[in-house]
Amino acid sequence: MIQDLLVSSVPLVLASLGGLISDFSGYLAVFLEGTLSLGAFLVWLIGVQTGSLATGFIITIIITGLIGWLLSRFIALTGANPFIAALAVNVGSQGLTETLSVLFFNTKGVLRDPRFPSADGMLFFWIALILIGTASFIVYRTPFGLRLRASGRSPQVLLYRGIDPLRYRDIAWTLAAMLAAFAGGVLTIKIGAYAPGGTTGQGWIALVIVYLGFRRVWGVALAAIVFTFIQFLGIEAQAALAIPSTLLLGLPSLLALSLYILSQVLRKE
């Protein structure tokens, strides 16, 4: 059960880490849900076409990272509202995945194919653990991490030193998009298929996890694991008590809201 819990928490851990990195830059990546969904589809598509998960992940991460970078550059050059522009990515990713699904597989429904490779879920847990440790070291122990956090908290300090804080948003949004896409790919591997809407709002929940973890790298990772554990309990309760499936679908959002309120109360105390 512990192993299942750790493996199941990986997508939320990765997406939340991406959200936290973007938050450090002062601009929370609201596009996480879109890039997570796009990553889930692209890993499936490329994995089926090439027979290689590594190729699927590499190409997917490059594409989504480019999307995050271009979005940040677009906002910087045009002055567009970051929130609205990020929401456009969420909407656009849904249309893109549906179009590609019809183009390659002639359906908008669930995609299954024996050519899609499988992988050990614990491998992704160890990768996530390495990424968390690396992120913690870079954010809190390096000059780059100091400048990244300063770009969100005190951008005028960077400007005084001749450093453009928006460049750090470019980097942060690129990394956030890449991590969310990685998370989406892990979700696809977990179920062995691509299911439209299979992200179940985890991109949005990841934004809440950023604050549940008190905006700390290890705090966010722990919050994501705890949230996944509570979801596990909810699923078990549904099976034992015959809770309506409609209520179960709303459980993640209800949990996120409840835990967020609790975290704010604890912070004030």
Side-chain angles (χ1 to χ4, degrees), residues 117-180:
S118 60
D120 181 7
M122 282 302 294
L123 170 64
F124 296 102
F125 169 75
W126 293 117
I127 292 175
L129 191 62
I130 292 172
L131 289 174
I132 294 166
T134 302
S136 180
F137 176 78
I138 293 175
V139 167
Y140 302 117
R141 303 290 183 179
T142 67
F144 172 82
L146 178 62
R147 292 193 292 269
L148 173 63
R149 287 178 286 132
S151 68
R153 295 179 180 177
S154 305
Q156 64 277 7
V157 173
L158 295 183
L159 290 171
Y160 178 76
R161 293 177 175 270
I163 302 172
D164 184 2
L166 291 181
R167 296 296 179 183
Y168 285 86
R169 181 182 64 189
D170 295 345
I171 297 172
W173 278 29
T174 299
L175 293 174
M178 294 169 73
L179 286 166

Side-chain angles (χ1 to χ4, degrees), residues 5-74:
L5 170 65
L6 294 177
V7 172
S8 297
S9 69
V10 168
L12 190 56
V13 168
L14 292 173
S16 301
L17 179 60
L20 178 63
I21 292 173
S22 72
D23 185 62
F24 283 143
S25 72
Y27 298 89
L28 192 61
V30 181
F31 57 77
L32 288 181
E33 179 68 15
T35 49
L36 199 152
S37 178
L38 185 60
F41 177 77
L42 288 179
V43 167
W44 167 266
L45 173 63
I46 300 170
V48 168
Q49 298 299 320
T50 66
S52 170
L53 282 180
T55 301
F57 273 106
I58 291 172
I59 295 177
T60 296
I61 288 172
I62 291 174
I63 292 174
T64 51
L66 182 60
I67 291 174
W69 181 81
L70 288 174
L71 180 63
S72 180
R73 282 288 82 206
F74 170 78

Side-chain angles (χ1 to χ4, degrees), residues 203-228:
W204 296 110
I205 294 172
L207 299 179
V208 179
I209 294 294
V210 170
Y211 297 97
L212 292 181
F214 298 101
R215 302 175 68 191
R216 305 287 295 182
V217 173
W218 287 103
V220 164
L222 179 60
I225 293 174
V226 170
F227 185 89
T228 304

Side-chain angles (χ1 to χ4, degrees), residues 234-235 237-239 241-251:
I235 294 173
Q238 193 272 340
L241 304 176
I243 298 174
S245 58
T246 52
L247 181 60
L248 185 63
L249 289 174
L251 180 62

